[in-house]
Amino acid sequence: MPGDSPAAPAGRASRSRERFRPRRAAWFQWAAASVLALAPLLYWWLVGPDSYSYGYFTYGRPERCVGHEFMLHHGYGILEAVYTVLLFWFGGLPLMLVAFAAWLAGNRLGRPRIGRIVTRAVTTVIGLVTFLPLLPTVLDAVLDVSCMQMWGGSFILSTTLGQALITFVYLVLMLRAVRPSHVRRSAVARAALSLLVILPLVFLPVSDTVSGKVSDFEDCFSAGLGFPEDVEAEGGNLERRFVCLARSGPWGQGGVPEFAGMPDDQVLAYGRHLCAAVVRAGGNARNRAPYESLGLTYSMELAESLKLICPQVVAVEKAEAERERLAEERKQAALEAKCAAYPPHRPSIRPVRRAAGAVHTDYNALVALEDEDFEMIEASPLLVKGLVGAEPGIVQVTVANEFATVCVTAEAYDRRPPLERRGWDTVREIPYRSTRGNLAFVDFYGGRRLVNLTVAGKGGYRVRVHVRGSEEAWKNGEDAVEQFLIMVYPDKPL
């Protein structure tokens, strides 16, 4: 009748519900996408090296690397939450299976559009999860190319980009598998797709199959690189010396265990990261916190070898040494002033030589020596009972505190001076035999010598020691200073 809609051709409704037969190429594309999704996992599981983790284990946070900073504070936490979802495991293979199941179901129902919609949604989700985390890396590369070291160096960057490229290829394969059969690829598109399939094979085995040189014990020591040297005096390759010392330690007696078997360039990359971490922590190479933040075992050898590649640490060490020197000079000047403030000794007869000043002591010992090259730090003190004791070539006076600075007045006479007891707590006199005729009181650690007390050269002498303020110094420590008057004269008149 007029106005009625025309009848549908016979069989159209039934044909629209018929099972859709996909192209044979689609099955190949789904299979290839699945293999590519699993390829990185299978590589690292079966043949991949442990060294992949070495370069990626970086926690340095230079402020200029804003992309890396963002990932440390926010990005890695977000990714950790995302990858707790089972669908994103195994390179996104579970999500791919969802898309494949939707594609199969749509074909069976005669509605291939269902598979296309689900697959496009899945590829979008996987693409966002894979490629968005690369944006901070690109940002750092644009702002400062040196930030690339904070992302793990060339090995790790190549690995990360290679895996991203693999993901891109299998996402393209998924989209090509669900495309309508009447859509034809151009020659350019086919060539580009072939290239994308080949490139991942180049990037996948970047970590160990292209691993760098691993200098062993013989390499280092045959080249003379196994010994720590002064940075300023070293004219050789400082980076190679650092690698040798960090891996094997001086004399080959063990270095950082994490560096064993690691390629040289990765050890050096770790050294650069450690340098940056130490500088951010104040520049003290003996601060253990930066080592722990990088997962490294702290050792004195590594701290010393770090100065070879980290001039900032050397500068901080020099500045600290200069501050300590100035502080010690100020302390010494204050002690000298304190000693000078005491009433000077007025001898009854004129001494041949006389000197006074503040002297550092150790092991409760004020020491006078005749050997100018002798280092007291290498020697044990005499076993002295009482105030003073002596052996040929050495005189030792007992002080109240183990580590103390005392005020000393040393006087050399050519004959016996009158005995003085007034104003002194204790006075003791002992015999002494000079071996070189050059006896002088010194700091325990090789400080200045006051004056030569053996005016008659080698031979026999008498040493008279006066002391006051010992009890007060013992009770109050550095707030009180002991005073000593030492008189030395020949045992026989000249």
Side-chain angles (χ1 to χ4, degrees):
M1 293 181 61
D4 291 344
S5 59
R12 177 177 293 183
S14 61
R15 282 199 306 271
S16 66
R17 299 290 183 177
E18 288 179 0
R19 179 177 178 179
F20 179 78
R21 294 182 179 276
R23 295 169 292 105
R24 283 181 296 178
W27 295 98
F28 167 78
Q29 289 162 344
W30 277 111
S34 302
V35 171
L36 285 175
L38 282 176
L41 177 66
L42 293 175
Y43 174 74
W44 296 116
W45 182 30
L46 297 177
V47 298
D50 293 335
S51 61
Y52 174 77
S53 62
Y54 294 153
Y56 197 75
F57 206 94
T58 56
Y59 290 89
R61 299 194 298 271
E63 297 299 330
R64 68 179 185 277
C65 301
V66 293
H68 189 264
E69 189 78 8
F70 169 80
M71 290 301 293
L72 283 176
H73 291 305
H74 308 288
Y76 293 130
I78 296 173
L79 288 178
E80 184 178 1
V82 168
Y83 284 110
T84 58
V85 180
L86 178 62
L87 293 175
F88 293 103
W89 292 8
F90 308 111
L93 187 62
L95 264 179
M96 182 189 296
L97 294 177
V98 171
F100 180 70
W103 178 73
L104 285 179
N107 291 340
R108 286 182 177 276
L109 295 175
R111 296 181 180 274
R113 192 161 176 260
I114 295 175
R116 288 196 294 272
I117 293 173
V118 174
T119 300
R120 289 168 182 169
V122 166
T123 55
T124 300
V125 172
I126 294 177
L128 290 174
V129 172
T130 301
F131 302 122
L132 281 181
L134 298 179
L135 293 180
T137 307
V138 175
L139 178 62
D140 280 352
V142 172
L143 295 178
D144 188 346
V145 70
S146 64
C147 288
M148 292 299 94
Q149 287 298 325
M150 298 307 301
W151 292 94
S154 59
F155 281 164
I156 306 307
L157 283 175
S158 300
T159 302
T160 303
L161 294 177
Q163 291 178 343
L165 185 57
I166 290 173
T167 302
F168 176 75
V169 171
Y170 82 65
L171 293 180
V172 171
L173 288 172
M174 290 172 60
L175 293 174
R176 302 302 294 177
V178 300
R179 69 182 176 86
S181 58
H182 62 275
V183 178
R184 300 284 297 173
R185 292 192 303 266
S186 66
V188 175
R190 290 195 297 271
L193 183 60
S194 301
L195 182 62
L196 289 175
V197 172
I198 294 172
L199 283 177
L201 301 178
V202 177
F203 283 97
L204 182 60
V206 295
S207 185
D208 254 21
T209 56
V210 197
S211 62
K213 175 180 175 58
V214 179
S215 297
D216 58 18
F217 176 85
E218 293 184 359
D219 292 334
C220 290
F221 281 83
S222 62
L225 297 174
F227 306 94
E229 299 286 348
D230 180 34
V231 178
E232 295 182 349
E234 172 56 41
N237 190 322
L238 298 181
E239 293 181 350
R240 282 199 62 201
R241 185 179 293 277
F242 166 78
V243 170
C244 288
L245 290 173
R247 177 181 287 118
S248 61
W251 300 95
Q253 296 182 0
V256 179
E258 291 82 4
F259 291 159
M262 188 187 294
D264 293 356
D265 55 354
Q266 293 188 18
V267 174
L268 182 59
Y270 254 109
R272 299 294 187 198
H273 298 327
L274 181 58
C275 172
V278 169
V279 170
R280 286 193 301 276
N284 182 4
R286 292 178 176 81
N287 180 4
R288 294 174 179 264
Y291 299 82
E292 295 172 357
S293 71
L294 293 178
L296 295 175
T297 302
Y298 172 83
S299 70
M300 285 294 295
E301 291 80 8
L302 179 56
E304 285 299 311
S305 62
L306 187 62
K307 294 188 291 186
L308 295 168
I309 61 169
C310 196
Q312 300 95 323
V313 167
V314 177
V316 169
E317 185 178 81
K318 287 184 176 179
E320 180 61 28
E322 180 64 14
R323 285 193 295 270
E324 291 179 357
R325 185 187 68 81
L326 294 175
E328 186 63 28
E329 286 184 357
R330 289 192 295 269
K331 182 179 178 182
Q332 183 67 22
L335 289 171
E336 294 283 357
K338 193 169 187 177
C339 291
Y342 289 117
H345 174 239
R346 299 185 182 277
S348 300
I349 61 174
R350 185 180 181 86
V352 177
R353 301 187 188 111
R354 184 176 186 275
V359 178
H360 298 290
T361 67
D362 204 345
Y363 292 107
N364 296 94
L366 169 64
V367 179
L369 298 171
E370 297 209 33
D371 189 345
E372 293 185 356
D373 298 326
F374 191 80
E375 293 187 13
M376 282 301 299
I377 194 171
E378 298 178 355
S380 300
L382 302 179
L383 295 177
V384 175
K385 294 183 179 179
L387 178 60
V388 60
E391 289 183 358
I394 181 172
V395 173
Q396 180 174 306
V397 179
T398 303
V399 300
N401 295 311
E402 183 175 4
F403 309 102
T405 301
V406 296
C407 297
V408 178
T409 299
E411 298 175 345
Y413 293 86
D414 56 4
R415 55 195 176 93
R416 182 181 184 277
L419 181 63
E420 301 178 28
R421 291 186 178 276
R422 181 178 297 179
W424 299 101
D425 299 333
T426 306
V427 179
R428 293 286 185 272
E429 185 172 310
I430 61 169
Y432 167 71
R433 185 171 64 84
S434 174
T435 56
R436 296 191 178 189
N438 188 29
L439 179 69
F441 281 93
V442 297
D443 278 1
F444 191 86
Y445 292 96
R448 67 188 182 94
R449 305 172 73 89
L450 286 183
V451 68
N452 180 15
L453 298 172
T454 48
V455 295
K458 296 187 293 185
Y461 288 85
R462 303 289 295 179
V463 177
R464 186 185 301 167
V465 179
H466 311 68
V467 63
R468 60 186 170 208
S470 300
E471 185 175 353
E472 184 181 359
W474 185 79
K475 291 180 179 178
N476 300 321
E478 293 186 357
D479 294 334
V481 180
E482 281 183 284
Q483 291 179 266
F484 290 90
L485 170 62
I486 292 96
M487 297 177 174
V488 179
Y489 61 95
D491 194 16
K492 296 180 179 179
L494 296 180

